[in-house]
Amino acid sequence: EVQLVESGGGLVQAGGSLRLSCAASGFTFDDYAIGWFRQAPGREREGVSCFSSSDGTTYYAGSVQGRFTISSDNAKNTVYLQMNSLKPEDTAVYYCAAVRFLCPVVRGTSQPEGMDYWGKGTLVTVSS
């Protein structure tokens, strides 16, 4: 059974940092792309970052470029999202998701509809 479990969310002041973790199990980690997505109240789910283990490619949404960093520890089957210089507009539920091989990207942004497996999410709240 495929499982994705996010952790690391919480409340932080603007300008602060958080690191999210996504622990994966039930599939061959090296064959999958893992992405981070977020959904704020009243808004559609959007791609934040994505990492393809098969070719090492990473993608970032323009709104987080330079502030967020995705990384992978293949030995632990875990993908991280380091979030720095957080802004109130980063407040959302953050989800990790997986799909075989490559990140589904359109114009540089990973697409939620292209992912096959999802975690339950972790809430990030950035106060001003």
Side-chain angles (χ1 to χ4, degrees):
E1 179 187 5
V2 173
Q3 283 194 323
L4 299 167
V5 181
E6 303 94 337
S7 61
L11 174 64
V12 64
Q13 288 188 330
S17 298
L18 283 174
R19 189 179 79 156
L20 305 183
S21 300
C22 173
S25 61
F27 59 88
T28 304
F29 191 75
D30 290 351
D31 290 344
Y32 277 72
I34 305 290
W36 285 97
F37 299 80
R38 66 186 181 186
Q39 188 166 18
R43 301 191 66 176
E44 293 186 353
R45 194 169 297 188
E46 62 176 0
V48 174
S49 182
C50 194
F51 170 71
S52 296
S53 293
S54 58
D55 65 359
T57 306
T58 58
Y59 300 92
Y60 295 96
S63 59
V64 307
Q65 183 79 43
R67 300 188 297 122
F68 291 10
T69 303
I70 193 170
S71 62
S72 171
D73 185 337
N74 286 22
K76 296 182 178 180
N77 283 8
T78 299
V79 173
Y80 304 96
L81 185 69
Q82 178 67 43
M83 305 187 296
N84 298 329
S85 301
L86 283 161
K87 304 175 181 179
E89 52 263 43
D90 294 318
T91 295
V93 178
Y94 283 71
Y95 300 89
C96 70
V99 66
R100 286 202 77 181
F101 301 128
L102 300 175
C103 298
V105 173
V106 174
R107 292 188 291 277
T109 303
S110 43
Q111 302 298 304
E113 58 269 22
M115 309 303 285
D116 289 333
Y117 305 103
W118 290 86
K120 294 182 179 180
T122 186
L123 177 63
V124 172
T125 304
V126 185
S127 63
S128 56

